[in-house]
């Protein structure tokens, strides 16, 4: 692109001229200071491509052209007041703005905006304080830039691990707030992060500041000086203890949404249970998936399975230990014999069940004996404890993850293919053998058609399971990228035809999935858009996020 003005962005937001854009940037610099504004003028700036050094402006795991989902500039507010002022400025200019906390939302679009040229709001860079860790109430209050690693390290440094644990996802570099608002998952008994959040502070598209739940109730007994801004006033003592407050419960509309920017959030921490034992149960055959799920459902419902356990396909574990080349020279998907050979080599099953029991020893012993007895009905099933083996690296990692110790080990599976990138296809299913087998066989068949290995895991919630399929592809190879894109689009369609929907998705798939949630002529989307238009009449905040478009955007014109 020819550009005379070196300050002009690579991609202008819709409706902007270079002059109008420059006017906006000058005003934004006055709000957040020049050093907190980076204009993306050149594709050569899009060099950050790894989880450990994430891009703040584009999707590092791009499934469409790398320069499509790209921000025009990255603004890093210093505090809540800056966020409010930026929202007012964006309203004045009708500037689309995409907030994120850390930008490690890989597989779902990273930090990139849905509308190319939007201004990215990097909340985590400067707003990264742990505001409170409360031992008595077992909660923390955090700002957007606090990662799982940060909170865990805080507990360690302050000798609080013997009292409190933080639940962590597979990799710990993401933010507590970003992950929870996206309804992300971890693996202790506190694995449903949205369920475990309590109390939010939110900047609305208008710039107004609210606190949800008990946070809406001032607490005159808390010490605070007059003259503080609302965001600086200490919250109600029950803000992080009781989610619902009084009247309509608002928090849900700020999750996977484009209705507000979360500037503070409470998260419940798990009291140290007083004892812990991780375990692995290997299951030799593909069809053992059916029996395993029938065993898992009642145990999980009764909370004999206390945590969010996972039933992982052999290739997910294999990919953590080595790339595809280290097992095979084949480009096409591995067949059953090859998978069996890998399982044998790694001393694993075709499916591998990772869980943990929590509590004092007698409690653990009872739970473990019930779990073990149930699984031992599967011929060839084996139980392995991390203390008993040097041969199972994934078990060692899981043993940390399931007690809230964050790591980066699982990043390795992204390198299954050269220049590895990934998409997550993540449909919800009933925890039954029939549902699991049907969803698995449908996915496996489509993966084969796409020439992509099936790599996946069933993550067991309270009453359902998230089937997380890791679609790994070579991001520099257009043909392979297109195949991955075809695969996920086809799987979304197949799933909808079976009554299955996804819990979360990548920017490029948001409209397709929103279309599938179509009960009564898309009545839910109409409700979401009515709320959107009321709260954000200029349509500035994350237009198109999760398929919710404000009235000044034409949904059909923005389809991918
Ligand atoms: P961000 O990129 O900061 O935010 C994600 C989105 O949330 C933003 O785009 C925005 O729409 C919204 N958002 C963020 N902050 C705000 C805010 N303050 N206000 C309003 N909206 C906001 N994920 C899991 O959940 N569980 C896993 O076990 C897991 N395992 C993974 C394993 C691997 C190997 C990889 C590569 C990824 C995995 N992920 C997993 C996906 C991802 O890394 C995490 O979900 C991560 O926590 C999300 O990134 P983030 O916290 O940086 O979110």
């Amino acid at each position: 692109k020819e550009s005379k003005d070196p300050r002009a962005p690579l991609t202008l937001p819709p409706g902007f001229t270079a002059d109008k854009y420059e006017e906006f940037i000058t005003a934004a610099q006055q709000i957040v200071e020049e050093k907190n504004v980076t204009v993306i003028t050149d594709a050569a700036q899009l060099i950050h491509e790894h989880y450990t050094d994430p891009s703040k402006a584009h999707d590092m795991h791009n499934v469409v052209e790398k320069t499509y989902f790209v921000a025009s500039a990255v603004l890093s507010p210093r505090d809540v007041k800056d966020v409010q002022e930026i929202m007012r400025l964006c309203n004045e200019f009708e500037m689309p703005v995409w907030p994120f906390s850390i930008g490690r939302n890989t597989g779902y679009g990273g930090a990139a905006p849905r509308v190319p040229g939007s201004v990215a709001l990097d909340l985590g860079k400067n707003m990264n304080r742990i505001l409170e860790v409360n031992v008595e109430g077992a909660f923390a209050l955090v700002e957007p830039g606090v990662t799982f690693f940060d909170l865990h390290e805080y507990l360690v440094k302050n000798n609080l691990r013997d009292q409190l644990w933080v639940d962590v996802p597979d990799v710990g570099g993401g933010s507590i707030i970003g992950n929870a608002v996206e309804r992300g998952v971890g693996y202790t008994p506190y694995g449903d992060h949205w369920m475990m959040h309590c109390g939010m502070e939110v900047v609305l598209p208008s710039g107004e500041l609210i606190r949800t739940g008990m946070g809406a109730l001032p607490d005159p007994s808390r010490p605070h000086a007059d003259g503080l801004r609302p965001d600086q006033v200490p919250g109600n003592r029950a803000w992080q203890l009781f989610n619902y407050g009084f009247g309509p419960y608002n928090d849900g509309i700020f999750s996977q949404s484009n209705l507000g920017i979360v500037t503070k959030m409470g998260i419940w921490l798990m009291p140290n249970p007083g004892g812990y034992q991780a375990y692995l149960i290997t299951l030799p055959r593909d069809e053992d998936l059916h029996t395993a799920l029938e065993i898992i459902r009642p145990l999980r419902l009764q909370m004999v399975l206390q945590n969010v356990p996972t039933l992982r396909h052999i290739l997910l574990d294999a990919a953590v230990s080595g790339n595809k080349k280290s097992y095979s020279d084949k480009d096409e998907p591995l067949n059953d014999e090859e998978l069996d050979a890998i399982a044998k080599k790694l001393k694993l099953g075709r499916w591998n069940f990772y869980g943990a029991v929590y509590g004092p020893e007698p409690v653990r012993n009872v739970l473990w004996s019930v779990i073990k007895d149930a699984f031992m009905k599967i011929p060839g099933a084996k139980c392995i404890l991390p203390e008993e083996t040097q041969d199972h690296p994934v078990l060692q990692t899981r043993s940390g993850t399931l007690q809230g110790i964050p790591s980066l080990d699982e990043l390795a599976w992204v390198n299954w293919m050269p220049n590895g990138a990934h998409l997550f296809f993540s449909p919800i299913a009933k925890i039954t053998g029939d549902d699991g087998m049907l969803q698995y066989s449908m996915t496996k068949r489509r993966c084969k058609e796409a020439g992509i290995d099936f790599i996946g895991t069933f993550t067991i919630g309270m009453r359902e399971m998230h089937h997380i399929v890791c679609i790994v592809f070579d991001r520099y190879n257009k043909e392979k990228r297109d195949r991955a894109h075809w695969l996920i689009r086809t799987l979304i369609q197949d799933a909808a035809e079976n009554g299955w929907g996804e819990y979360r998705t990548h920017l490029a798939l948001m409209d397709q999935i929103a279309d599938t949630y179509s009960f009564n002529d898309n009545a839910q989307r109409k409700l979401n858009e009515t709320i959107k238009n009321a709260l954000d009449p200029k349509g500035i905040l994350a237009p198109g996020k999760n398929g919710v478009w404000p009235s000044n955007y034409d949904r059909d014109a923005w389809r991918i």
Side-chain angles (χ1 to χ4, degrees):
K1 176 171 146 12
E2 287 290 318
S3 171
K4 291 189 191 70
D5 181 351
R7 290 195 55 187
L10 181 67
T11 305
L12 277 168
F16 272 72
T17 60
D19 285 346
K20 186 177 165 195
Y21 188 81
E22 182 156 4
E23 216 186 306
F24 172 88
I25 287 294
T26 306
Q29 283 170 340
Q30 279 161 15
I31 296 173
V32 297
E33 291 183 26
E34 218 172 315
K35 66 174 187 203
N36 287 313
V37 178
T38 308
V39 180
I40 308 300
T41 54
D42 197 322
Q45 280 168 269
L46 308 178
I47 49 168
H48 302 278
E49 298 223 304
H50 198 265
Y51 185 93
T52 51
D53 176 27
S55 173
K56 307 291 177 182
H58 82 293
D59 179 13
M60 306 183 283
H61 293 224
N62 58 296
V63 68
V64 297
E65 281 308 311
K66 178 173 162 177
T67 48
Y68 183 71
F69 289 122
V70 66
S72 56
V74 182
L75 312 185
S76 310
R78 296 162 302 174
D79 54 23
V80 178
K81 175 177 62 61
D82 279 1
V83 177
Q84 294 179 276
E85 285 185 31
I86 290 168
M87 293 314 284
R88 293 186 191 112
L89 183 70
C90 289
N91 270 301
E92 194 186 321
F93 280 80
E94 296 200 21
M95 170 67 83
V97 53
W98 184 272
F100 63 86
S101 289
I102 295 287
R104 291 195 164 115
N105 201 23
T106 69
Y108 300 117
R114 172 65 182 84
V115 169
S118 299
V119 158
L121 213 55
D122 179 1
L123 296 156
K125 182 178 167 197
N126 302 315
M127 297 165 67
N128 49 23
R129 288 175 301 166
I130 297 171
L131 297 168
E132 182 176 3
V133 170
N134 187 299
V135 176
E136 197 181 55
F139 65 79
L141 180 68
V142 296
E143 292 188 330
V146 177
T147 65
F148 293 95
F149 271 112
D150 293 336
L151 192 50
H152 172 73
E153 278 159 20
Y154 179 98
L155 297 178
V156 172
K157 277 194 193 129
N158 290 282
N159 294 321
L160 291 173
R161 267 280 296 174
D162 61 344
Q163 304 199 61
L164 297 173
W165 294 357
V166 54
D167 184 277
V168 298
D170 281 342
V171 281
S175 63
I176 311 264
I177 290 184
N179 187 280
V181 298
E182 287 297 287
R183 307 201 280 265
V185 178
Y187 305 94
T188 73
Y190 280 40
D192 182 336
H193 293 160
W194 180 248
M195 190 189 285
M196 295 300 158
H197 96 283
C198 191
M200 304 168 104
E201 180 183 270
V202 183
V203 175
L204 299 180
S206 62
E208 194 175 347
L209 186 74
I210 65 154
R211 286 182 178 173
T212 66
M214 298 306 291
L217 184 73
D219 187 342
S221 71
R222 294 204 80 167
H224 67 271
D226 284 342
L228 291 183
R229 298 191 312 259
D231 65 281
Q232 296 170 322
V233 171
N236 186 287
R237 281 166 300 164
W239 190 19
Q240 273 61 64
L241 299 178
F242 181 61
N243 234 323
Y244 310 128
F246 180 75
Y249 174 58
N250 304 129
D251 292 37
I253 65 167
F254 300 116
S255 160
Q256 290 195 7
S257 99
N258 50 13
L259 297 173
I261 297 175
V262 182
T263 49
K264 294 183 183 73
M265 192 191 76
I267 187 84
W268 285 348
L269 302 173
M270 178 173 160
N272 184 320
Y276 169 79
Q277 177 66 60
Y279 60 83
L280 158 65
I281 302 174
T282 62
L283 309 171
R285 285 168 301 271
D286 217 20
E287 58 275 20
D288 290 336
L289 174 65
H290 191 285
T291 325
L293 293 175
E294 291 297 318
I295 291 170
I296 289 167
R297 185 185 58 257
L299 294 180
R300 183 74 176 112
L301 274 170
Q302 291 155 359
M303 297 195 191
V304 171
L305 292 170
Q306 299 161 289
N307 72 316
V308 176
T310 46
L311 188 53
R312 295 163 62 114
H313 186 261
I314 176 63
L315 276 194
L316 183 56
D317 281 13
V320 174
S321 296
N323 61 15
K324 185 167 183 175
K325 262 257 165 297
S326 69
Y327 298 99
S328 165
D329 287 330
K330 241 173 123 174
D331 193 37
E332 55 273 25
L334 301 177
N335 61 31
D336 280 330
E337 293 72 46
E338 288 155 334
L339 295 182
D340 283 340
I342 291 176
K344 194 168 170 211
K345 179 175 166 195
L346 299 179
K347 300 186 183 155
L348 288 168
R350 176 65 69 92
W351 293 99
N352 298 288
F353 184 69
Y354 292 91
V357 282
Y358 302 80
E361 196 176 355
V363 176
R364 297 200 310 271
N365 287 345
V366 169
L367 294 171
W368 177 226
S369 69
V370 176
I371 296 164
K372 204 160 57 169
D373 287 354
F375 275 95
M376 286 310 112
K377 294 188 182 109
I378 299 178
K382 286 195 191 113
C383 298
I384 305 167
L385 304 181
E387 301 74 21
E388 297 168 353
T389 174
Q390 299 297 317
D391 296 333
H392 294 87
V394 174
L395 177 58
Q396 304 302 339
T397 300
R398 298 310 289 170
S399 172
T401 307
L402 272 53
Q403 55 175 308
I405 299 174
S407 90
L408 294 177
D409 297 352
E410 301 247 6
L411 276 180
W413 60 249
V414 180
N415 298 323
W416 181 246
M417 302 306 292
N419 311 311
H422 71 109
L423 278 167
F424 282 125
F425 168 63
S426 32
I428 298 297
K430 275 173 77 177
I431 313 173
T432 67
D434 287 351
D435 270 68
M437 283 304 276
L438 195 58
Q439 212 173 73
Y440 167 56
S441 52
M442 169 195 97
T443 313
K444 198 169 62 159
R445 180 170 57 83
R446 291 299 194 187
C447 284
K448 199 168 170 205
E449 280 172 45
I452 291 175
D453 286 306
F454 171 87
I455 300 179
T457 173
F458 288 93
T459 297
I460 317 292
M462 304 276 283
R463 277 172 174 69
E464 54 66 54
M465 51 195 186
H466 292 29
H467 181 192
I468 308 292
V469 180
C470 312
I471 302 175
V472 181
F473 58 95
D474 178 341
R475 70 185 107 177
Y476 301 148
N477 182 323
K478 180 168 179 342
E479 193 256 321
K480 292 196 167 154
R481 243 175 33 214
D482 287 349
R483 273 200 261 153
H485 198 174
W486 172 86
L487 174 59
I488 195 164
R489 291 193 66 85
T490 307
L491 286 170
I492 292 165
Q493 175 72 24
D494 287 346
E497 284 166 12
N498 282 284
W500 293 316
E502 295 68 38
Y503 94 101
R504 179 178 177 188
T505 201
H506 186 277
L507 300 168
L509 289 316
M510 286 176 174
D511 288 301
Q512 189 192 356
I513 293 180
D515 284 348
T516 67
Y517 281 75
S518 62
F519 169 76
N520 194 16
D521 196 19
N522 291 97
Q524 191 197 30
R525 184 164 68 200
K526 287 179 197 159
L527 169 67
N528 287 332
E529 292 186 347
T530 303
I531 300 172
K532 175 70 179 162
N533 291 325
L535 289 188
D536 184 8
K538 299 254 172 94
I540 55 161
L541 186 56
K545 168 133 176 97
N546 283 67
V548 176
W549 291 94
S551 58
N552 55 344
Y553 282 76
D554 172 0
R555 169 199 328 284
D556 291 325
W558 286 95
R559 281 187 192 280
I560 307 293

